Amino acid sequence: MAGQNATIIRMPRELSADAYAFQVDLRGLVDLLSQHLYSSPRVYIRELLQNAVDATTARRLTDPAAPAAVRIVIGAAGLSVTDSGVGLTEADAHQFLATIGNSSKRDDLAGARREFLGQFGIGLLACFTVADQIRVVTRSAREPDAATVEWVGSSDGSYGVRILDGDAARAEPGTTVYLAPRYGAERWFAPDLVAELAREYGGLLPYEVTVESALGVVRVNGELPAWGKQYASEAERRGALLAYGEELLGFRPLDVIELEVPLVGVKGAGFILPQAANPADGSRHRVYLKGMLLSDAAAGLLPEWAFFVRCVIDADGLRPTASRETLYEDETLAVVRDNLGERIREWLTRLAGEDPRRLAAFLGVHALGVKALARHDHELLRIMLDHLRFETTDGQVTLTEFARNHPTMYLASAVEEFHQVAPIASAQGISVVNGGYTYDAELVSLLPQVLPGVVVEGLDAGVIAAALDPVPPGEELSLARLLGIARGRLDPLDCDVILRAFRPVTMPALFLDSRAARAERTRAEIAASADDLWAEILGSLKSTAPRAELVLNYHSPVLRRLAGVSDEALLGVAVESLYGQALLMTHRPLRPADAALLNRAFGELLDRATREGNSDR
């Protein structure tokens, strides 16, 4: 069979008269898979290690005393990887090395998932990213008199198989894969880089892995991960895990959570990021499968809310994708994700009960992540109510403390809405929580379910207006002239003017604007610029909702001084300035009409000040 080229196309036994076989360009297929399936040529080392470890595992299933070692040798001609595994017969070489998608482990997928790293017969394709030819010399351990077989595959899709004898034959069962670098790929065969890649991918493998070169012989594995070692105390163990996480992940973790899911053989640790994370970025984790590094940026391992955790785990039961660079999304991964999320939740609960200091340090950075989880976990929300702080009219306090003092509270839906009313609400005894930050509104709305007796209502302009003190009719009459001028100036802006007495006295005016009023103004603005048809449609939607209100403060010294101004034009400009100041305090975007009013009022005041200053000279 020496020099044989083979193209294997599996077809059904019977074809209809108009059925045809696919025409497969093997060279193009090999190039496509080897160059585009994998993210980088560096994975060829991982694939060679994976094949060697799987072969060794397969042999030890039937012969536990069989040797277990993998040797990577780098010389002038290239690189070789030798294992003491189960090896292949001539028939195996044809079946498993020359059929894309086939695998010697596919006959027992359940067993493959338990015992082997690989489940796809395409691993050798990674070698074509750095070499034009792959040479495999192998002898089967299943047959005592098995011959040594040489298989040579080329990137053009052809291969050859022959029997070796004499000095070329292997004395012991096992397999050696030989690679010579293709032009431009020489750097991937540098001894220091090969040793680095072997250590990165195979550092946790259960069998001895060595790299031999002109630099010497280096063992790249053998040390247990931090979670697999014994320590004298829990403090020493925690310190070792934190140091391990810093070494692998490149940052000093804020804290560490030990993770284990025995059902699928998951062991490892979750490391808390030392700085706030963006939930939209998701989380990336370092995942090993049976000791072989799958990826240092695997996604989907934790629930979305746990974006503040980075994991380093080793798993037996998870399934990789075909490229073995990420995890396959299946039911097993979903179960692991839920279990790891539960471990993180238990850690938070334990900290709340046993170590408030560490919990406070954690919440100082990652309160957002805990809030994200608490939305769906009422028990955790109940536990965290004594620790999570919210912005309220009493300052930054916990909801437990706020609810104790204010059984009825109002929820501001936006940050600017809260900041607008907070000074007045606090002075008037109205309890308001800022729900404008991420997750805060949802959590405050859940309070009645976890704290019986607490009432949460939405904050509206009417709530604030109702809490302001009315002014006696006789005293309001003394300001009738000022109120009349103010109403005339602000009516075109769809704003009413009312007089109330409230604290603090340093605030001469308050702008109250309900959602319904804002919606009506938006409708009117669109209708004004629309064509006749749309103007008619929008006109039919006109609302009778109350307009915005400028509330003048009867207690304000500024207002009292304005009441004594005889110049009606100046008084009108002053009213517009009060309106503009109150509007700016809402932190909302200005309408074009409002911006024009502010510019005009500022310009007139500046002009008057300039003219009066010149006349005094």
Side-chain angles (χ1 to χ4, degrees), residues 301-612:
L301 185 64
L302 295 182
E304 290 184 359
W305 55 261
F307 51 82
F308 52 86
V309 181
R310 295 293 181 269
C311 291
V312 179
I313 67 162
D314 188 18
D316 290 342
L318 295 179
R319 181 182 173 191
T321 58
S323 65
R324 285 189 285 279
E325 295 186 340
T326 189
L327 294 169
Y328 187 82
E329 185 66 47
D330 59 9
E331 186 176 350
T332 302
L333 179 58
V335 170
V336 168
R337 185 161 48 234
D338 290 344
N339 274 268
L340 295 182
E342 182 63 21
R343 300 291 84 75
I344 297 171
R345 177 190 175 279
E346 291 172 354
W347 171 79
L348 284 169
T349 304
R350 187 171 62 254
L351 280 191
E354 300 175 3
D355 200 336
R357 182 186 59 81
R358 280 171 61 193
L359 179 64
F362 167 74
L363 291 178
V365 180
H366 296 297
L368 187 63
V370 178
K371 289 179 179 180
L373 172 57
R375 293 178 304 154
H376 309 293
D377 190 329
H378 292 185
E379 180 59 29
L380 180 66
L381 175 59
R382 185 178 290 105
I383 294 169
M384 289 295 150
L385 283 180
D386 288 332
H387 305 280
L388 290 172
R389 293 185 171 271
F390 292 73
E391 188 175 21
T392 74
T393 44
D394 286 356
Q396 291 280 347
V397 298
T398 66
L399 289 181
T400 303
E401 180 182 348
F402 195 65
R404 187 183 304 119
N405 298 326
H406 309 283
T408 298
M409 61 185 72
Y410 295 93
L411 179 62
S413 60
V415 174
E416 60 270 15
E417 184 179 59
F418 174 82
H419 288 160
Q420 176 193 359
V421 304
I424 296 173
S426 179
Q428 300 298 128
I430 304 173
S431 52
V432 183
V433 182
N434 186 354
Y437 297 113
T438 306
Y439 307 131
D440 283 12
E442 295 175 74
L443 295 179
V444 175
S445 298
L446 289 172
L447 271 183
Q449 300 180 39
V450 296
L451 291 179
V454 173
V455 177
V456 177
E457 298 181 2
L459 179 67
D460 197 77
V463 174
I464 301 298
L468 304 180
D469 297 330
V471 178
E475 297 183 22
E476 184 171 351
L477 186 62
S478 66
L479 298 177
R481 177 170 161 271
L482 172 62
L483 293 174
I485 292 173
R487 287 165 180 155
R489 287 286 184 128
L490 300 184
D491 183 69
L493 297 172
D494 294 319
C495 181
D496 293 331
V497 179
I498 62 175
L499 183 67
R500 293 289 187 271
F502 56 87
R503 306 290 177 184
V505 299
T506 54
M507 182 179 289
L510 169 68
F511 184 81
L512 294 179
D513 194 15
S514 67
R515 283 183 286 273
R518 290 196 295 272
E520 171 58 21
R521 285 202 307 277
T522 301
R523 183 208 62 77
E525 290 172 4
I526 296 175
S529 60
D531 57 32
D532 293 342
L533 175 60
W534 276 109
E536 183 177 349
I537 294 173
L538 292 169
S540 67
L541 300 176
K542 185 174 182 179
S543 173
T544 58
R547 305 195 301 175
E549 294 178 330
L550 182 68
V551 185
L552 298 179
N553 187 359
Y554 179 74
H555 290 320
S556 170
V558 173
L559 200 68
R560 294 184 176 278
R561 287 197 296 270
L562 285 178
V565 175
S566 58
D567 187 337
E568 292 192 0
L570 176 60
L571 195 57
V573 174
V575 167
E576 290 177 341
S577 299
L578 287 179
Y579 170 82
Q581 180 191 31
L583 195 62
L584 290 173
M585 289 180 63
T586 67
H587 301 283
R588 294 195 182 102
L590 295 179
R591 297 177 298 164
D594 294 328
L597 176 143
L598 279 173
N599 289 332
R600 184 179 68 252
F602 177 76
E604 290 188 20
L605 288 175
L606 186 62
D607 180 64
R608 281 178 174 270
T610 302
R611 283 190 282 110
E612 291 179 5

Side-chain angles (χ1 to χ4, degrees), residues 175-254:
T175 300
T176 301
V177 179
Y178 298 91
L179 299 178
R182 65 161 47 162
Y183 179 75
E186 294 84 0
R187 75 183 188 92
W188 295 106
F189 290 73
D192 54 348
L193 179 58
V194 171
E196 177 187 337
L197 294 176
R199 182 177 293 106
E200 178 181 358
Y201 286 116
L204 300 186
L205 288 173
Y207 311 132
E208 179 182 86
V209 179
T210 57
V211 176
E212 303 176 24
S213 69
L215 302 178
V217 179
V218 179
R219 181 169 181 178
V220 299
N221 68 338
E223 185 173 352
L224 290 174
W227 61 78
K229 298 178 181 180
Q230 299 296 319
Y231 300 93
S233 66
E234 283 300 314
E236 183 182 345
R237 182 177 183 84
R238 181 171 178 272
L241 284 168
L242 289 172
Y244 184 74
E246 182 175 12
E247 178 185 358
L248 286 182
L249 301 178
F251 60 84
R252 179 67 179 177
L254 187 66

